[in-house]
Amino acid sequence: MKPARFAAAPAMAKDALARVRSWFPEREFFMRSQGQVRFIRISSRLQMTVAAGIAAAVLLWLVVMAATLLSQFTAARDHAALLEREAAVATAESRVAKYRGGLEGVADDLNLRQDFIEKAIEGTIGELPKDLPQGTVSDSSGEAQKTVRKISMELPEARRLAEIEARQLAFIERLTRFADARSAQAETAMRRVGLNPAMLRAVSREGQGGPLIRLFTDSNETVDPRFARLGASLERMAALEKGLRRIPNTLPASLEYISSGFGYRSDPFTGGAAFHAGLDFRGPVGAPIYAAAAGTVSFVGQKHGYGNVVEVSHGNGLMTRYAHMSRTEARLGQKIDAGSEIGKIGNTGRSTGPHLHFEVRINDRPVNPRPFLEANRHVQEIRAGSAAHRTKE
């Protein structure tokens, strides 16, 4: 015979099921459709099934939210632990303990850090060439080796530190020569188009300011001349390459040939002697016109004799003008890159047929655009080298 509690279990289950069903009584609804009344009956079982599905969805949402909160808490805890470890590494006590362990351990750390510095810099600008010019900065490698030998004899325990210092100074000098070589390339490209590199550098310093925050390399608040030389070389390189990016050397139109050059010519309307301030590129109406260099759109509209015009300012007093357009596709103040489409070829203004009139002006004085465009290959080679050094993987 089964125990009483087992015999009563089926009855208890039926009683519990009956109570649950009482929470979901069978319901009837009616609706009228096309003049007929239809009855819809929703059973207790269907109601219980729907309620169970809703409850399961709510439970799943709660589980997902709990997991998300747990993950965020774990990440925050790990981040806090990382900060604590970093703070411990940076404490004076940890460095004192390192120094007490011997200068060899300190030298190892400094050597690894110098490795990191050199790889980080070369990873950004590329590997420094082996055949850098020698005349742009003093070569202190011979004197540095004498210093290492002298320190090794008088303070043997500091030999490794002297070696690291010599390595650091050699790298600084190589980096300075690299910056000087890049600057020389940029200056050559500028002179080929008749620009004065010194003037461009002077203009690039206009509109600067801010609080004076001095930099030092020594505890007596002085700067090692070799580090000062590096800073000056990097600043010069940055200014010249910034100016180089704004030289108009990109063809403004993909056209067959130049129909009229810069300088004196017979006027196409009067036949008399006249001065032509730019180059004319023949092309069909609607052909695209491109910006010759990066810059800011400084004028969009009509000018007497030019028709529809777009002007782009490239800084340092340099401006390019694009005339006789059938349509302009630039807006005043727009920042554009070299090769950006700024309009369409047309026949507006004083023109005998569809073409682009292209001018280069320095301080509003027209200059021959041909040297700028002919320097395209040389300047692009320098730009490609600069980009490769900046983005080398």
Side-chain angles (χ1 to χ4, degrees), residues 27-153:
R27 300 179 184 273
E28 281 191 354
F29 300 91
F30 69 92
M31 59 181 295
R32 187 180 299 274
S33 175
Q34 298 180 352
Q36 295 183 356
V37 176
R38 300 171 182 260
F39 290 91
I40 301 175
R41 178 178 290 113
I42 302 178
S43 66
S44 298
R45 182 183 296 275
L46 179 59
Q47 294 181 60
M48 292 169 61
T49 302
V50 172
I54 294 174
V58 171
L59 180 61
L60 178 61
W61 178 79
L62 290 174
V63 170
V64 171
M65 289 298 296
T68 301
L69 291 174
L70 179 61
S71 175
Q72 292 177 351
F73 172 77
T74 303
R77 184 190 61 191
D78 292 344
H79 181 65
L82 176 61
L83 292 179
E84 289 178 2
R85 290 197 299 273
E86 291 177 350
V89 169
T91 58
E93 290 80 4
S94 66
R95 299 309 298 164
V96 169
K98 192 76 174 180
Y99 275 71
R100 283 176 176 169
L103 289 181
E104 283 296 316
V106 177
D108 288 339
D109 283 353
L110 294 178
N111 212 27
L112 291 173
R113 289 179 184 181
Q114 182 64 22
D115 279 340
F116 179 87
I117 291 172
E118 293 182 15
K119 286 182 172 58
I121 292 177
E122 292 184 351
T124 302
I125 65 176
E127 184 177 357
L128 299 183
K130 305 298 183 185
D131 55 346
L132 290 169
Q134 296 295 319
T136 60
V137 65
S138 61
D139 184 357
S140 62
S141 57
E143 190 64 29
Q145 291 305 317
K146 290 181 183 178
T147 302
V148 170
R149 288 194 294 271
K150 187 172 182 178
I151 290 177
S152 298
M153 290 186 293

Side-chain angles (χ1 to χ4, degrees), residues 206-393:
E206 295 179 355
Q208 297 183 358
L212 175 62
I213 303 175
R214 296 186 180 276
L215 294 177
F216 308 108
T217 59
D218 299 323
S219 57
N220 60 355
E221 296 188 353
T222 61
V223 180
D224 187 305
R226 290 161 291 197
F227 285 78
R229 178 72 167 79
L230 171 64
S233 293
L234 291 175
E235 182 182 20
R236 176 166 167 259
M237 179 188 73
L240 289 170
E241 291 193 343
K242 180 181 179 181
L244 190 67
R245 290 194 294 271
R246 292 178 174 269
I247 290 180
N249 53 59
T250 298
L251 282 173
S254 299
L255 307 174
E256 295 180 0
Y257 58 90
I258 296 175
S259 57
S260 184
F262 177 87
Y264 289 93
R265 67 173 183 178
S266 296
D267 183 79
F269 289 92
T270 67
F275 177 74
H276 189 230
L279 298 178
D280 287 344
F281 293 83
R282 180 184 297 181
V285 172
I289 297 172
Y290 307 104
T296 303
V297 177
S298 54
F299 179 84
V300 178
Q302 292 189 339
K303 288 196 172 186
H304 180 69
Y306 288 99
N308 295 328
V309 173
V310 169
E311 293 179 353
V312 180
S313 174
H314 307 285
N316 305 319
L318 200 61
M319 181 265 282
T320 50
R321 177 178 291 168
Y322 312 79
H324 305 311
M325 291 183 172
S326 61
R327 186 169 77 239
T328 59
E329 296 187 349
R331 64 182 184 277
L332 190 64
Q334 179 182 356
K335 304 290 185 182
I336 57 174
D337 296 322
S340 298
E341 185 173 334
I342 57 175
K344 303 290 187 182
I345 289 260
N347 190 28
T348 59
R350 193 171 184 270
S351 170
T352 61
H355 71 285
L356 164 67
H357 174 83
F358 173 67
E359 291 184 10
V360 175
R361 288 177 171 260
I362 299 177
N363 296 325
D364 205 32
R365 177 178 62 86
V367 296
N368 190 354
R370 188 183 290 272
F372 289 86
L373 302 181
E374 290 178 347
N376 178 278
R377 180 176 180 181
H378 183 69
V379 173
Q380 292 297 339
E381 287 175 355
I382 297 176
R383 284 184 181 173
S386 301
H389 283 299
R390 289 194 302 269
T391 62
K392 187 175 180 180
E393 299 178 354

